[in-house]
Every structure is written in C-alpha cells, then in structure tokens.
C-alpha cells in the first residue's frame, strides 16, 4: 500500500474525496425536500405543475450521479495526484573544468590526515559546493590516465566516481603528469561550448616522466586558451605508504625490501603553472578550494540551463478539468428543455413592452406650458420683474422639459437683474445660482447653464473676468471660450419663442 501512496502528494486528503460525494448527496436530498415543502404551501402539486412546470421538475438519478462524480474528482485533485517526471531547470553561469586527479600509490601517504587522497576528495567536494553552475569532468591518472566522467552537472555521477577513486582504478604504477595534461586538453578541445575552460591538476608532485614533455603539454593547453591550476598535497618531510593486504596493514617497500618514503615535490607543479601562465596552489595553503574558486572567478562564464532534480509531477489539473466538464454537462442538460420556453417568453414580453410603449401617449402639463410661454414672452420684452411669477410656477411643473426650460429662463432673469443692479446685486445673483445649480444637478452636460452659473458666481465675487464653459445646446447665443479682458462676458440666452410647447 505504501508504494502507491508516493503517487499522492497529500494522502490524508483522500478522505476528502470520499466525504465530498456523500456530503453533496445529502445536500441535494435536503434541497429537494425543502423545495417540495415550499411548493406545497403554494398550492396542490397538480396546480403548481401546470403553472410552473420547470420549477417542479426534479433532478434525475443521472444528474445526481454526475454531480457526485464531479465532487469525487475534485476531492482527488485536492489530494494531489502525481505521475510522470517533473524536472526543475535553473538558469546558471559557469565554466567547464577538468579535474585531473592523482590516483597513484603515493597519494595513500598519511602526512595529510587522513591521507593525501582523502584530503584531495574533501577539497573537491568543497570546490563543487562553491561552483554550482560549473561543469566538471573527472580524470584519474597514475602511470597512465583514464577519463572517469565527461563534462557534466550530474552530481550523483560525480559522487559515485569520487567515492570509489583509489589506486586500483588505474592499475599501473607511477605518476604520468604529461599523460594527464594531454588527455585533459583533448577532452576540453572536443567541447564546443562557449566560455572559458580550465584544468585543475591535483597531485603530490612526484612524477617519473620527462619534465620537458610535461611542460610541452602545459604549453599546448595555454595555446588552446585553457587555464591550468595546479594543486599540491603532502609535506616535504614525507611519509610512508600504508598497504592493506589480507586485512593486514603493512608499509610499501621497494625491490630491495626498503620501506618507501614519499615526499611532496612542488617544483614540477609550479613549473607547469608558470609555463601555462596559470595558478599554483601550494600544499600548505589552508583553503585550497577557495583559492581554486578565486582563480576560476577570473574566467568568462558560460550561461547554461541546469536540471536540478527530477520528481513525480503534480497532475491535479486533469481531475479539476474533468469535474468542470461534468458540471457543465449537467447544467446544459438541466436547462436544455427550458431554453425554448424562456426564449418564447422573452420574445412575448419584449413585443408587449414595444406595443405598450408605442401606444402610450406622452402627457404634457399644458397649464405649466402656458405659464412658461407667458413668462418667456415677458423676458423677451425685457420685462424682468413681471416675468418672475409665471416662470417660478412653471419651474415646479411635473413635466421635465417644461421644468428644465423654466428654471433656465428664471435663472437668466435673475442673472440679468444682478448684472444691472449696482447696490443690492447679491439677492438676484444668489437666486440665479440656485436655479442653475438645480439644472446642473440633473443635467451636468448643459454647457449654457454651466456658463451662466460661473458668470453669476464671478459677478457675485466682484465682477469682471470671463465666463466658463463652451457652446452647444438649443437656442441662441454663440459659444465663447474666452472674452476680451476689458469687456464684460456675455450672458448666454436660451429662451424659445412662445408657443404651445417649450421646444
């Protein structure tokens, strides 16, 4: 059972997948009973079925099954089903590095604790931790060299080969530095990726090949643009080489039976770094990995995408999609029978509204129209005071059009009086502001009313200055956006001729 639970992200949520359909069934059952009880209070079942057949229609077993299955799928989606492979890709920058590692018997010496070989592995682990974006290749050498891994960012493969690295891998005694440099250079030359490349040679410095041949390989790597970093391990005082045979630890001896003592020799390692114009890290350096990383930081990094891990991918979206499709299907099937009746009812209602609207006559307030026309006629003849009573009564009419025009002309009457008055202009100007404010509260876009309102406001504050607003609106008076500085702004008139209608 546990082997299948790895395909569920939250196994405890499987209970939700079981509870949801049960709760949904109970809610549907309760809803049907509650609706049946409400309908029973309205009348007999036969009467309600004739009056509202769509309301009395009950859910079928198939409809309840669809809803229950949809909730089951939603519960499974909550549990987080997983399958397939999901890779995490990270954008990084790094260089390509070949680690040429000395795997000769002399690396088993214990002048570095626990041994030179183990100390070298520890420095490599620290270097990899400091270089998450770099690609590494492993190359082991003794009497000859072997490529253990190509350039890769697969940490598991690098860990596997590093853990098993010992002198038995090479199987040939000696330390051929020239062979290691040659093979590392060829490996980097085959790689066509952009960015700089480096060879990190780690050894105790004991070599048995021709130094000129070693330096020639270092020179060749430099000409190809590769950086060489040499790292030493061991002590000048040296140490014996422990050998384990049949679970018994002995000391390595030469052909004459003398115990072999190996010494750290930095001369050749330093000469390689100088020839390649690289970096030499002495064995006495406390943080070798940090020095190597510092040297690699000076190189031009290459941008790359690194796969940081692989896991089972979360696939909840498929269950949510299936649940939505089931709910959509249920909704479509429930409304399909009602659609034609709804369309027919909507069309009938629209037709009745159209006929009713077209046949209805607009009721006009004829007495208010007569008062408006009478006051407007007086206003046209400059009889300002006599025009006020009829326009005031017309401004309270229930006819919106009459009321709007009456308030405008009433405000115009007060505005003209205020502009002509020299002593007590505040009272008519306040009345004009009040009337135009009534208009603007209902018709904000009335530019004529806005113009006269601003004109009355400026006149009340001290006179002068141009009125605001633009033109437009029925009636006379052209639109003036600005007025000359020494001429008073013009009042905007909009009083129609006297007639049976204010239009």
């Amino acid at each position: 059972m546990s082997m299948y639970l790895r395909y569920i992200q939250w196994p405890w949520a499987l209970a939700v997948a079981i509870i949801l359909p049960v709760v949904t069934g109970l809610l549907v059952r309760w809803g049907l009973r509650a609706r049946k009880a409400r309908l029973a209070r309205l009348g007999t079942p036969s009467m309600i079925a004739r009056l509202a057949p769509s309301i009395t229609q009950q859910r079928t077993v198939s409809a309840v099954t669809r809803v229950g299955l949809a909730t089951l799928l939603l519960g499974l989606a909550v549990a987080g089903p997983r399958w397939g492979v999901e890779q995490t890709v990270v954008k990084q920058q790094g260089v390509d590095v070949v680690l040429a590692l000395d795997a000769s018997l002399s690396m088993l010496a214990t002048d570095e604790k626990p041994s030179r070989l183990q100390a070298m592995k520890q420095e490599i682990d620290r270097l990899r931790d400091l270089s998450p974006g770099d690609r590494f290749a492993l190359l082991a050498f003794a009497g000859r060299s072997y490529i253990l891994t190509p350039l890769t960012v697969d940490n598991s493969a690098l860990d596997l080969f590093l853990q098993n690295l010992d002198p038995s891998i090479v199987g040939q005694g000696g330390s051929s530095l020239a062979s290691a440099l040659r093979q590392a250079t060829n490996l980097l030359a085959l790689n066509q990726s952009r960015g700089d490349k480096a060879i990190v040679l780690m050894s105790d410095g004991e070599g048995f090949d021709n130094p000129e041949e070693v330096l020639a390989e270092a020179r060749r790597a430099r000409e190809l643009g590769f950086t060489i970093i040499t790292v030493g391990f061991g002590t000048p005082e040296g140490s014996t080489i422990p050998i384990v045979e049949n679970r018994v630890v002995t000391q390595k001896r030469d052909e004459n039976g003398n115990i072999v003592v190996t010494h750290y020799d930095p001369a050749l390692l330093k000469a390689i770094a100088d020839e390649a114009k690289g970096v030499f890290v002495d064995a006495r350096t406390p943080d070798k990995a940090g020095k190597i990383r510092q040297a690699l930081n000076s190189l031009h990094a290459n941008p790359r995408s690194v796969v940081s891990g692989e896991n089972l991918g979360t696939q909840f979206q498929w269950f949510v999609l299936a649940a939505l499709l089931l709910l959509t299907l249920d909704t479509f099937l429930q409304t399909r029978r009602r659609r034609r009746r709804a369309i027919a009812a909507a069309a009938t209602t629209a037709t009745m509204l159209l006929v009713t609207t077209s046949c209805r006559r607009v009721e006009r307030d004829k007495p208010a129209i007569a008062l408006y026309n009478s006051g407007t006629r007086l206003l046209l003849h400059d009889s300002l005071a006599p025009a006020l009573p009829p326009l005031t009564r017309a401004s309270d009419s229930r006819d919106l059009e009459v009321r709007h025009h009456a308030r405008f002309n009433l405000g115009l009457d007060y505005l003209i009086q205020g502009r002509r008055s020299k002593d007590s202009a505040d009272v008519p100007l306040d009345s004009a502001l009040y009337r135009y404010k009534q208009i603007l509260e209902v018709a904000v876009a009335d530019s004529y009313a806005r113009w006269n309102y601003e004109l009355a406001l400026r006149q009340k504050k001290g006179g002068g200055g141009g009125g605001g607003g633009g033109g437009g609106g029925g009636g006379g008076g052209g639109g003036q956006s600005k007025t000359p500085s020494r001429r008073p702004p013009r009042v905007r008139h909009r009083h129609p001729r006297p007639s049976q209608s204010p239009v």
Side-chain angles (χ1 to χ4, degrees), residues 222-491:
R222 183 195 66 191
E223 292 172 353
L224 291 176
F226 305 149
T227 300
I228 295 181
I229 303 171
T230 57
V231 185
F233 290 90
T235 60
E237 294 78 13
S239 171
T240 58
I241 303 173
I243 302 295
V244 180
E245 293 181 355
N246 298 325
R247 298 184 180 179
V248 177
V249 180
T250 61
Q251 303 300 324
K252 179 176 173 56
R253 298 175 181 270
D254 58 16
E255 60 274 8
N256 298 322
N258 299 320
I259 296 177
V260 175
V261 178
T262 175
H263 300 273
Y264 164 58
D265 185 5
L268 188 55
L269 295 177
K270 189 174 185 307
I272 293 172
D274 292 341
E275 184 65 29
K277 299 188 183 304
V279 177
F280 168 64
V281 180
D282 190 66
R284 292 171 293 184
T285 303
D287 184 14
K288 299 183 180 66
K291 293 294 183 180
I292 299 172
R293 182 66 259 172
Q294 185 177 358
L296 294 177
N297 287 339
S298 63
L299 303 181
H300 174 68
N302 179 38
R304 62 169 61 94
S305 299
V306 179
V307 179
S308 61
E310 295 183 355
N311 295 309
L312 293 175
T314 305
Q315 309 292 343
F316 71 92
Q317 62 272 12
W318 301 109
F319 292 84
V320 175
L321 178 61
L324 291 177
L325 290 177
L326 282 173
L327 293 176
T328 303
L329 177 63
D330 180 71
T331 303
F332 173 76
L333 294 177
Q334 290 295 323
T335 57
R336 183 178 58 179
R337 295 179 179 178
R338 307 172 193 172
R339 189 175 296 113
R340 291 182 180 178
R341 289 195 295 269
I343 294 174
T348 303
T349 303
T351 304
M352 293 177 64
L353 289 175
L354 181 62
V355 172
T356 303
T357 303
S358 61
C359 294
R360 188 179 64 180
R361 297 183 61 184
V362 179
E363 297 293 336
R364 303 306 302 269
D365 190 351
K366 293 183 179 180
I369 293 175
L371 289 171
Y372 168 78
N373 289 335
S374 174
T376 301
R377 187 180 298 107
L378 292 171
L379 180 61
L380 286 171
H381 290 85
D382 206 23
S383 299
L384 301 181
L388 291 177
L391 288 176
T392 302
R393 293 174 60 187
S395 65
D396 295 328
S397 172
R398 66 177 181 274
D399 192 320
L400 297 178
E401 189 175 1
V402 175
R403 185 168 63 200
H404 177 83
H405 287 280
R407 286 177 177 176
F408 185 94
N409 287 350
L410 188 60
L412 180 63
D413 191 316
Y414 283 121
L415 177 59
I416 295 174
Q417 291 186 45
R419 286 168 62 87
R420 291 178 180 178
S421 177
K422 295 183 179 180
D423 298 328
S424 57
D426 287 345
V427 175
L429 289 176
D430 288 338
S431 299
L433 289 172
Y434 172 73
R435 293 302 178 181
Y436 286 126
K437 186 176 181 181
Q438 284 183 319
I439 295 174
L440 294 175
E441 287 176 351
V442 179
V444 182
D446 193 328
S447 60
Y448 274 55
R450 190 185 312 115
W451 174 278
N452 287 352
Y453 178 84
E454 293 180 3
L455 186 59
L457 190 63
R458 290 175 180 267
Q459 186 75 25
K460 179 176 171 57
K461 288 182 179 180
Q480 295 185 126
S481 60
K482 294 184 179 179
T483 57
S485 58
R486 295 187 179 180
R487 294 177 58 189
R490 295 177 56 188
V491 177

Side-chain angles (χ1 to χ4, degrees), residues 85-316:
V85 176
E86 182 181 52
Q87 295 182 342
T88 303
V89 180
V90 181
K91 299 292 184 179
Q92 293 180 338
Q93 288 188 340
V95 297
D96 294 335
V97 181
V98 175
L99 298 175
L101 310 178
D102 192 344
S104 61
L105 283 174
S106 62
M107 293 297 291
L108 297 177
T110 57
D111 50 356
E112 286 204 29
K113 301 300 180 183
S115 67
R116 297 177 183 176
L117 184 62
Q118 292 302 322
M120 180 178 69
K121 291 181 180 181
Q122 293 171 5
E123 294 297 335
I124 293 173
D125 289 338
R126 284 197 288 269
L127 174 61
R128 289 167 56 199
D129 291 338
L130 296 173
S131 312
D134 294 344
R135 290 197 305 173
F136 290 96
L138 295 182
L139 185 150
F141 70 92
R144 55 181 178 176
S145 60
Y146 292 93
I147 296 177
L148 302 181
T149 66
L151 288 167
T152 181
V153 292
D154 189 350
N155 288 321
S156 58
L158 295 173
D159 290 336
L160 177 64
F161 282 100
L162 277 175
Q163 290 172 3
N164 296 316
L165 179 63
D166 59 46
S168 64
I169 290 181
V170 181
Q172 182 174 336
S175 295
S176 178
L177 299 177
S179 174
L181 289 174
R182 183 184 308 111
Q183 196 159 27
T185 303
N186 293 338
L187 181 60
L188 290 178
L190 292 174
N191 183 29
Q192 300 299 322
S193 64
R194 300 177 182 177
D196 293 341
K197 304 175 180 64
I199 300 172
V200 179
L201 178 66
M202 296 185 174
S203 174
D204 54 15
E206 282 191 339
F208 300 99
D209 44 2
N210 187 355
E212 293 297 329
E213 184 179 356
V214 176
L215 296 179
E217 293 298 334
R219 194 180 307 113
R220 173 171 169 259
R222 183 195 66 191
E223 292 172 353
L224 291 176
F226 305 149
T227 300
I228 295 181
I229 303 171
T230 57
V231 185
F233 290 90
T235 60
E237 294 78 13
S239 171
T240 58
I241 303 173
I243 302 295
V244 180
E245 293 181 355
N246 298 325
R247 298 184 180 179
V248 177
V249 180
T250 61
Q251 303 300 324
K252 179 176 173 56
R253 298 175 181 270
D254 58 16
E255 60 274 8
N256 298 322
N258 299 320
I259 296 177
V260 175
V261 178
T262 175
H263 300 273
Y264 164 58
D265 185 5
L268 188 55
L269 295 177
K270 189 174 185 307
I272 293 172
D274 292 341
E275 184 65 29
K277 299 188 183 304
V279 177
F280 168 64
V281 180
D282 190 66
R284 292 171 293 184
T285 303
D287 184 14
K288 299 183 180 66
K291 293 294 183 180
I292 299 172
R293 182 66 259 172
Q294 185 177 358
L296 294 177
N297 287 339
S298 63
L299 303 181
H300 174 68
N302 179 38
R304 62 169 61 94
S305 299
V306 179
V307 179
S308 61
E310 295 183 355
N311 295 309
L312 293 175
T314 305
Q315 309 292 343
F316 71 92

